[in-house]
Every structure is written in C-alpha cells, then in structure tokens.
Amino acid sequence: MTKRDYYDILGVGKSATADEIKKAYRKLAMQFHPDRNPGNKEAEEKFKEAAEAYEVLSDQDKRAKYDRFGHQAFAPGSGGAGPHGFSDINDIFSAFGDIFGGSGFDEFFGGRGGRGRQRYTGEPGSDLKLRLALTLEEISTGVEKKLKLKRNVSCDSCNGSGASNPSDQQTCPVCQGSGEVRQVQRSVFGQFVNISACNNCNGSGKVIKNPCKVCKGDGRVQGETTIKVNIPAGVSNGNYLTLRNQGNAGKRGGPSGDLVVLIEEEPHAVFTREGNDILCDVEVSIPEAILGTEVEIPTLSGHAKVKIEPGTPSGKLLRLRGKGIPEYGSSRVGDQIIRVNIFIPKSLSQKEKDLIRQMEALDGFIPDSAKNPGKGFFSRMKSAFS
C-alpha cells in the first residue's frame, strides 16, 4: 500500500515552520481522537497516520531525509531510523502527549493526552483495608470516626526521595532519565514498539548514589497516623468507603495507595434491621392486650410512647413512621416496626388458676367458634368436602 505524503496528511506546505507543523498535527489529533470517534476504525487510522507524519516532520534530521528521499529514506536497509509505525494508540500518547499542554486537549479527553509523558516518579504504595464496626445508632445519624493506622509514610529525613542529599540522585544511564525503555520489534505486519518502565531505576529516571540512612533508600518508613473519616447515614453491612491516597506511601516519591474502609454493622440488643426499617418486640400482659394500654418503647434516638388498642392480638405489627434508618443518598427514612407479643405466664398459683377459670366461663371469653359451632373452622371444612 502506497503511503500518503506526510505534508499532505498534515495539510501544510514543504516550507511550513515547526510551529505550523505542530499546530496542524494538534488540530488533526483532536479531530480524529478515538474518544471523539468511538469504534470508528477509519478515524483511528487517520489518528495514527497523522502521528507518524508528525513524528517525521517534527524531527529536523528525519524531515531533511524525507525531503530528499521521501518514504524510501526509512525503508528497511536504508540505515535511517524511521517513524514508529504506531500500532497502539497509547504509544502515540506516550510519544507526543506533551505537545497538547495548554491546548484544551486535556479538557476534552480527561487528561488522557497529557498522561502519556508524565514520568513515573516511583513505585506506587499499596492499598490498605480496614474494618469499621458501627452501631445502628451511628448508622442512623452518620458519624465521624478517628482511625489509627499503621502504614508506610514518607521519610522525613530525605523527603521521600530515598537519597541522603539531592545531589545523590543521578540520571539513570539506561533510560537517560525518561523512566522508560522502548523495544522495537519487526514482523511481517510492520514495526511494533513495546514501552516499559526501566528496570534499572524502576521507572523513576533516577538512580541513587548514596541512599538515605533512615529509610535505606526506600523513601518511606513505617509509621502510625490518625485520620478522620465521615461515615454518611444509611450505610449497610458490607458497604465500603475509599479514601484516596490514604494508604501506604509510595516508594521514592511514588503515589500513595488508597484506604478502603469496610463497614460492619454491630448486632443490636433491641433492634433487628430489615433494609431501612428496624424491628423490635414489645410484650404486654393479657389484661393490657384486652383492655388496651400505652407503653414506652426504645427508639434509635431515645424513647416513644405507643398506644395499644383494646383487643390487640398477639403478633400485631405497629408502625412508627420515620423512626428507622435513613436511605443512603436519599431523603427517605425507614420506619420502626413494633411487634406486639402477649405475655403468657408459665406457672400460676392456685388463686390465679381459679380466677382464670372464672374468666373462662364468662361470655366475653368464649370464642365465636364455640358459641356458633356451625360457623366454626371444622364445620366449614366439613361443608367444603361434603
């Protein structure tokens, strides 16, 4: 396949200045950027084509060779270092991301264009996980907690650099301070460029001549810190909060890891949680269930009085609106549900037994099924199958 002229690709003349070439490439890169053209293979190829043209025309030596010999200047066996022939979009960002600084490119694509050239300053720190037990009372209102953490922190002696003195940091001789190494592989499909962090400096671009005596060149030490975390109302068992950059400090100035706070809900002595509702039991005597009464019950915020209507059966559910758990991220609040249980004594004195027998004979204590045998349960079942 015949390659297009690099000047035609960028839309500039052969006398174009370096700034004009850069401006033309920036315009095309923004036009055909993959984030603006998701799934568009044609736009992706034009994006790669523009990058290849810019790589040649932005380099004074390569441009001079191209102007003299054209594409043949970089043909296999020509002895000239040709363009990458980018096979990976990320490779383009890595090579040319820095030309978009201040152009508005980062605003359109979330900084993706600029990240490719940011030097890896050190090994990232690991994440930490912490389990945090909360009571229902704390969950219902939200709470601020102070957490003590044992974690790796930046070394104060060397300010996290790992070197005894700033002059003890030297440019890595392997990657020449870039923090990355490139390996070019040729195949029948073209050139493939593999970019990886430099093993000699672990991607920092620096090697340490005289390590810090406190941290032994690591740039971090074991320490203990206290941080505050605000737990919002309505969280549930198993929810977690991620606190960015609150984990272990990175090696030699690398970014800190995150702290993951896992919520655990402590069992409550009175309440059982069901979603955003809470359930509790209240026990009343037989006379109270028959005649009605008013009882005081606990809530998550104190106490409340609940009226037990006359003739309340055992197992009846009463509801206190808005006395439950707030729904996380919403203004809705659950309810408190009270289950009425009638206390049945297990042992009675003879006098108490006699009183119960007297009550049993009264008309008000005789079930309707016993008063009207024809309407009882067994009579209805017999009629259904007869």
Side-chain angles (χ1 to χ4, degrees):
M1 180 177 170
T2 304
K3 286 191 174 184
R4 291 175 60 199
D5 181 83
Y6 287 149
Y7 290 98
D8 288 342
I9 291 172
L10 297 182
V12 297
K14 291 191 175 183
S15 60
T17 64
D19 287 340
E20 288 173 339
I21 290 173
K22 180 183 288 189
K23 184 177 180 181
Y25 172 52
R26 184 187 293 122
K27 180 179 179 181
L28 289 173
M30 293 183 70
Q31 180 182 350
F32 297 116
H33 193 284
D35 287 352
R36 277 190 165 182
N37 304 274
N40 188 332
K41 291 294 183 182
E42 182 180 354
E44 182 177 328
E45 290 305 315
K46 288 184 177 180
F47 187 75
K48 294 178 183 177
E49 188 181 54
E52 182 178 328
Y54 175 74
E55 185 192 16
V56 171
L57 299 184
S58 63
D59 185 287
Q60 188 175 357
D61 291 336
K62 289 182 181 179
R63 182 178 179 181
K65 290 177 182 178
Y66 179 76
D67 287 343
R68 187 174 179 183
F69 303 107
H71 291 293
Q72 289 301 315
F74 312 117
S78 64
H84 282 86
F86 297 104
S87 60
D88 186 2
I89 293 295
N90 291 324
D91 193 19
I92 298 175
F93 296 144
S94 178
F96 304 128
D98 55 347
I99 78 162
F100 299 106
S103 67
F105 194 86
D106 288 353
E107 295 176 13
F108 280 108
F109 306 113
R112 179 178 176 181
R115 284 201 300 266
R117 294 294 290 176
Q118 289 180 3
R119 180 177 295 168
Y120 173 60
T121 57
E123 181 182 329
S126 59
D127 295 340
L128 293 176
K129 183 181 286 187
L130 178 69
R131 297 179 183 275
L132 181 60
L134 299 175
T135 65
L136 276 182
E137 286 82 1
E138 291 172 330
I139 291 173
S140 69
T141 60
V143 66
E144 181 183 83
K145 288 285 189 177
K146 289 184 178 181
L147 307 178
K148 275 191 175 182
L149 301 175
K150 288 185 177 180
R151 60 177 180 174
N152 291 331
V153 297
S154 180
C155 176
D156 290 335
S157 179
C158 64
N159 292 320
S161 69
S164 292
N165 298 291
S167 59
D168 291 324
Q169 279 190 321
Q170 299 178 345
T171 301
C172 174
V174 175
C175 65
Q176 304 303 318
S178 68
E180 59 187 28
V181 292
R182 295 168 177 256
Q183 293 179 332
V184 180
Q185 295 179 335
R186 296 180 183 274
S187 72
V188 294
F189 301 105
Q191 288 188 129
F192 293 89
V193 180
N194 180 41
I195 301 176
S196 60
C198 176
N199 290 329
N200 189 54
C201 63
N202 292 322
S204 67
K206 300 286 185 181
V207 291
I208 297 175
K209 181 180 178 181
N210 186 22
C212 170
K213 292 180 174 56
V214 177
C215 64
K216 311 301 181 185
D218 197 59
R220 55 189 179 179
V221 294
Q222 185 70 22
E224 184 176 281
T225 56
T226 300
I227 65 171
K228 292 181 180 180
V229 55
N230 289 310
I231 308 297
V235 294
S236 301
N237 194 59
N239 286 166
Y240 63 89
L241 304 175
T242 301
L243 304 182
R244 300 296 180 192
N245 303 316
Q246 295 296 329
N248 283 316
K251 186 176 181 179
R252 296 184 185 175
S256 297
D258 299 331
L259 172 63
V260 179
V261 181
L262 184 65
I263 303 299
E264 292 187 343
E265 191 176 295
E266 291 183 341
H268 201 279
V270 175
F271 302 111
T272 301
R273 182 177 180 179
E274 295 183 355
N276 294 317
D277 296 332
I278 55 172
L279 175 69
C280 70
D281 291 281
V282 62
E283 203 169 45
V284 297
S285 66
I286 294 174
E288 287 175 329
I290 294 172
L291 302 175
T293 188
E294 188 176 72
V295 295
E296 187 176 74
I297 62 166
T299 68
L300 288 174
S301 57
H303 291 81
K305 289 186 177 181
V306 175
K307 186 176 182 180
I308 306 295
E309 297 290 343
T312 295
S314 184
K316 183 171 183 178
L317 301 178
L318 308 176
R319 188 179 295 268
L320 289 180
R321 300 286 181 184
K323 291 292 185 181
I325 304 291
E327 184 175 315
Y328 178 63
S330 170
S331 58
R332 183 186 176 278
V333 180
D335 303 328
Q336 178 170 337
I337 300 171
I338 302 103
R339 181 168 52 202
V340 179
N341 296 314
I342 298 178
F343 173 70
I344 304 297
K346 293 183 179 180
S347 60
L348 297 173
S349 64
Q350 187 58 49
K351 182 178 180 180
E352 290 169 336
K353 291 179 180 179
D354 292 340
L355 289 172
I356 293 297
R357 290 191 179 97
Q358 292 177 27
M359 291 170 56
E360 184 181 22
L362 297 175
D363 187 67
F365 289 90
I366 301 174
D368 290 340
S369 58
K371 295 178 182 178
N372 301 288
K375 295 182 180 180
F377 172 77
F378 291 105
S379 295
R380 292 195 301 271
M381 292 295 291
K382 184 177 180 181
S383 299
F385 290 98
S386 61

